[in-house]
Amino acid sequence: MASFGYNFRGTDTFVTDGANETYVLNEVYPTTRGGSTFGWDDPPERDDRNASLDRRLAGAHKHSSDLSKRTFRADLATSGAKVLHLSVGDADNDRNQQVVRILDTSTQVLLLDLSATSVPAGSSRDASNVTRTDANWPSQEVGASATFATTILYLELGSSSIDMNGNYSSLRHLNIVDDAGGGPTTVKRLTMLGVG
Amino acid sequence: MKLEDLIVTLEAVRNLGNLRKDIASNVADYKRRLANGDSVTNVQAVIDADAAEYQRRLAWHDEADVAEELAAGIAALGVEDYEDEKQALSDAVSALTSAPKGSREDIEALDIKSLATRKTLFKPKNG
């Protein structure tokens, strides 16, 4: 099953990425590394947090949003069914209002609207819209399935339509896995999130 | 020249500029992956995937709608060496694709130093 993961942090050597993963720093689209082409439209603030955490949670990119957003683009190898995995939060800081939206070019496939949900420091929201502690996230995080008609994934950090009142939306990890079907147990269908 | 022609031309410039930088920095990344204990097989797969992405990025320039606007932008700006730059990068990708990568020594011997030196892409006719 093909997959590719992006670990958002401040410096490349802070931790070592796993197979089929790469770090994301301040790269603007298009940047190619690790077999993937990706990048921000306008890179947000970047942090290294804790190298002793799982590599996927070690850093974060954050955007202070009052009706504004930063957009990350990843070019997918193929269209079709995918499982999206996310970590949205911060190792050191409470995140009181966040929003992350993922689109298939222009079609929304996932929305984490945390405008009324606090995610405590040392934890993050996964793609199934559940908060996991940093200790539990690596083994318990649950993906969300989505079908891409195109090969362009956009992730919006912050929002131009949901006011976050200047609070940071914080992205730590994104992983896109080809969905072989058959309903793996770690996938929550988007209809359960009220999306799609 | 239309505004859309200029936008596409600027995107093309960024694409080529980033591609030159990516090819050079990724060669260093392959060696770092080996040093970090990644297997030759895995690194070879990453190199092949990168090369495919490079080719896809270069192919974008030739897509019908892009090529038309790009040609108009390049002509209006008087860019003389766009094709040379694109060809140089295409040659580098071909060299990377065909280079032996079956052993640690092969990967460590990859050297595309010429790509590490960024040259000015735009050379206006009277500049």
Side-chain angles (χ1 to χ4, degrees):
Chain A
M1 184 181 297
S3 71
F4 202 87
Y6 304 89
N7 300 324
F8 297 83
R9 59 180 186 260
T11 53
D12 55 351
T13 56
F14 186 58
V15 290
T16 300
D17 299 298
N20 300 320
E21 290 177 1
T22 191
Y23 53 88
V24 182
L25 307 178
N26 62 342
E27 293 91 351
V28 172
Y29 181 88
T31 293
T32 300
R33 185 171 56 245
S36 172
T37 299
F38 60 90
W40 288 101
D41 60 344
D42 183 6
E45 297 177 60
R46 302 166 297 281
D47 293 306
D48 291 328
R49 290 300 192 205
N50 186 344
S52 64
L53 294 174
D54 184 286
R55 68 192 183 281
R56 294 167 291 182
L57 307 180
H61 286 191
K62 64 181 190 285
H63 178 58
S64 174
S65 172
D66 44 4
L67 293 177
S68 68
K69 65 189 177 189
R70 300 293 169 87
T71 302
F72 177 79
R73 171 173 170 170
D75 289 349
L76 309 178
T78 60
S79 59
K82 311 288 178 186
V83 181
L84 307 173
H85 298 266
L86 277 173
S87 170
V88 176
D90 190 88
D92 294 346
N93 298 285
D94 293 347
R95 294 299 183 212
N96 296 317
Q97 286 186 297
Q98 305 182 93
V99 63
V100 168
R101 191 164 83 116
I102 295 179
L103 301 99
D104 167 18
T105 301
S106 57
T107 303
Q108 177 179 302
V109 296
L110 176 65
L111 173 65
L112 288 185
D113 180 353
L114 306 176
S115 56
T117 304
S118 180
V119 176
S123 62
S124 54
R125 204 76 164 178
D126 71 9
S128 71
N129 209 11
V130 173
T131 299
R132 318 274 181 184
T133 65
D134 287 353
N136 289 337
W137 184 92
S139 61
Q140 296 181 3
E141 65 91 14
V142 174
S145 61
T147 299
F148 280 75
T150 76
T151 57
I152 299 174
L153 177 150
Y154 288 114
L155 181 151
E156 296 176 350
L157 186 63
S159 174
S160 55
S161 60
I162 305 171
D163 194 345
M164 297 290 108
N165 302 302
N167 284 290
Y168 279 114
S169 294
S170 182
L171 175 65
R172 306 166 87 178
H173 175 74
L174 165 67
N175 191 30
I176 304 138
V177 183
D178 285 349
D179 189 354
T185 56
T186 55
V187 174
K188 183 172 281 190
R189 299 291 158 184
L190 287 177
T191 49
M192 298 174 70
L193 303 177
V195 176
Chain B
M1 178 173 56
K2 295 176 181 175
L3 180 60
E4 189 62 26
D5 299 338
L6 179 60
I7 290 171
V8 169
T9 303
L10 293 175
E11 286 181 355
V13 169
R14 187 169 68 182
N15 187 8
L16 291 184
N18 280 1
L19 185 54
R20 174 176 288 276
K21 177 168 62 71
D22 289 348
I23 293 172
S25 64
N26 282 338
V27 168
D29 184 59
Y30 307 143
K31 297 170 186 178
R32 187 167 59 219
R33 283 173 180 263
L34 287 176
N36 286 339
D38 212 347
S39 71
V40 169
T41 302
N42 285 347
V43 176
Q44 184 176 6
V46 170
I47 297 171
D48 290 341
D50 279 344
E53 286 294 300
Y54 301 151
Q55 287 171 336
R56 195 181 57 75
R57 284 172 61 175
L58 287 167
W60 172 81
H61 292 244
D62 298 323
E63 291 178 8
D65 53 341
V66 173
E68 184 179 342
E69 292 168 338
L70 188 52
I74 286 171
L77 291 169
V79 180
E80 293 178 330
D81 57 352
Y82 162 77
E83 288 296 338
D84 290 345
E85 177 78 3
K86 188 156 76 85
Q87 187 60 51
L89 290 169
S90 180
D91 291 346
V93 174
S94 296
L96 182 65
T97 302
S98 60
K101 301 179 280 285
S103 70
R104 172 178 288 269
E105 291 72 22
D106 287 339
I107 294 170
E108 288 176 345
L110 289 174
D111 187 8
I112 310 182
K113 284 183 178 175
S114 62
L115 290 165
T117 304
R118 180 178 172 78
K119 68 175 184 177
T120 302
L121 181 61
F122 273 159
K123 287 184 180 174
K125 282 178 180 172
N126 299 317

